[in-house]
Amino acid sequence: MRLNIPKLDSNQNIFFARELENIDLHPYETLFAGMLGRRYVPLVEGIPEWANVHTFRMYETTGRAKVIGPNSNDLPRVGVRATELSRTIKQIATSYEWTVREIQQAAATGAPLDQMTVLASRSAVARETDDLIALGNPLYSIEGLLNATGVLSSTPSTKSGTGAGTKWIRTVAVSPDEILGDINRLVSETRTALKQAGSEVPIFGKFTLLIDSLNYSYIATTPRSSTSDTTILQYAIKNNPWIESIEEWFQCDTADTAGTGPRMVCYPRDPLALGCIVPQEYTSLNPQEEGLKIVVPATGSCGGTIIRYQVAVRYMDGI
């Protein structure tokens, strides 16, 4: 890192550069609770940091083979159709600062600079990236995993329970069988849609389900029955062979169509099916002098989530 800050002497410059290097290399990502978009959505590889648009091609095969007679010349034709799709990539920016006096005092006393300042900067970029991966930004035509165009929805069953709360959590308890029915229905209807799509779409074998915090907590702590030591969550994962995992994501809390209630999503956690666009990771730039402050700009970039096969993803609201 090259510094050109005349108000600091050489020793202070060296101290400042070393502190920034030490801070930037610290693994702060593990402290960002709830920012799980990068875990739940595979990264689209190979996009350069400077890209403003990511374009990819979807290929569709046409025609099929058939059984013919020994002397037949009526051979069926097959072909491939390509469609180009593009996604906008936007820069994410923030900055942090210290006064020249704070840097001088820290260098003189050997005290480290406040690492929470850098943590706040990294957290701000990580939060915006997570929001874009989950929900996109319609202003820039960026879509997220939880609100992608073309993804169909399943309807939950009517519940026996009554009272305040979500459909799964009522004052008068909802039957665990009814909750399991919703989970299994979402997976089953996703698999059915994939089969109906035919040979144009890969048949994905395992699916991840993401749900909101309240419902996840409920199924993770509620027994399958009054005589069972297995929770609803454990039972669903163990007894449905197509469920890879069921996990909590606070982004699902208000992701439904109205933007006020929970949404469950079922999808294959497979880079063939979908991916998040994060060409530039969090990057601190060279410090800049602004009056008596030293400002460090920081940047990253994100283009939300691309879903290559919408039929492989499915939503369920009203849970």
Side-chain angles (χ1 to χ4, degrees), residues 67-253:
V67 177
I68 62 172
N71 297 315
S72 175
N73 291 321
D74 183 21
L75 303 181
R77 294 282 200 288
V78 297
V80 177
R81 258 196 321 260
T83 303
E84 281 195 350
L85 301 171
S86 296
R87 292 292 182 268
T88 301
I89 299 171
K90 286 296 181 181
Q91 190 173 24
I92 302 169
T94 184
S95 64
Y96 53 97
E97 66 180 36
W98 290 281
T99 66
V100 172
R101 190 168 186 82
E102 287 172 337
I103 298 170
Q104 291 172 330
Q105 290 170 340
T109 61
L113 294 172
D114 180 13
Q115 296 191 7
M116 294 303 295
T117 303
V118 185
L119 175 59
S121 173
R122 296 180 71 96
S123 177
V125 173
R127 172 66 64 194
E128 186 64 23
T129 301
D130 197 73
D131 288 348
L132 290 174
I133 292 172
L135 302 170
N137 187 323
L139 182 63
Y140 301 111
S141 300
I142 295 175
E143 294 186 338
L145 172 62
L146 301 178
N147 62 354
T149 302
V151 174
L152 299 178
S153 295
S154 294
T155 302
S157 61
T158 301
K159 300 294 182 291
S160 60
T162 60
T166 69
K167 287 190 176 182
W168 284 5
I169 307 172
R170 298 291 182 92
T171 304
V172 178
V174 173
S175 163
D177 285 340
E178 293 176 306
I179 296 175
L180 290 167
D182 284 345
I183 293 172
N184 292 332
R185 172 183 293 187
L186 183 59
V187 176
S188 175
E189 292 185 356
T190 304
R191 296 185 69 248
T192 298
L194 280 167
K195 291 178 181 178
Q196 292 173 345
S199 61
E200 312 303 331
V201 179
I203 296 297
F204 299 100
K206 292 284 188 176
F207 298 88
T208 294
L209 275 67
L210 303 179
I211 64 175
D212 63 289
S213 302
L214 284 177
N215 279 317
Y216 182 85
S217 177
Y218 184 74
I219 66 173
T221 57
T222 301
R224 164 74 178 84
S225 70
S226 59
T227 59
S228 173
D229 60 357
T230 300
T231 65
I232 298 173
L233 175 64
Q234 292 169 333
Y235 187 90
I237 295 173
K238 182 179 179 180
N239 290 277
N240 190 319
W242 300 287
I243 295 179
E244 181 177 27
S245 65
I246 301 176
E247 301 180 50
E248 171 191 6
W249 197 13
F250 82 95
Q251 297 282 10
C252 296
D253 291 359

Side-chain angles (χ1 to χ4, degrees), residues 275-307:
C276 65
I277 302 174
V278 187
Q280 185 178 31
E281 303 288 354
Y282 176 88
T283 304
S284 290
L285 306 180
N286 286 337
Q288 300 176 7
E289 180 187 359
E290 291 186 8
L292 295 178
K293 297 178 181 178
I294 305 302
V295 178
V296 182
T299 185
S301 66
C302 184
T305 298
I306 56 171
I307 298 178

Side-chain angles (χ1 to χ4, degrees), residues 21-88:
E21 182 179 359
N22 290 340
I23 291 172
D24 286 347
L25 292 177
H26 199 283
Y28 287 114
E29 288 84 352
T30 57
L31 302 179
F32 299 153
M35 300 185 199
L36 301 174
R38 298 293 298 275
R39 177 190 300 178
Y40 293 151
V41 184
L43 178 68
V44 178
E45 303 283 356
I47 305 176
E49 290 186 352
W50 46 261
N52 287 331
V53 176
H54 173 59
T55 299
F56 61 101
R57 292 184 179 90
M58 291 298 297
Y59 295 93
E60 178 184 359
T61 59
T62 59
R64 59 175 297 171
K66 70 175 183 179
V67 177
I68 62 172
N71 297 315
S72 175
N73 291 321
D74 183 21
L75 303 181
R77 294 282 200 288
V78 297
V80 177
R81 258 196 321 260
T83 303
E84 281 195 350
L85 301 171
S86 296
R87 292 292 182 268
T88 301

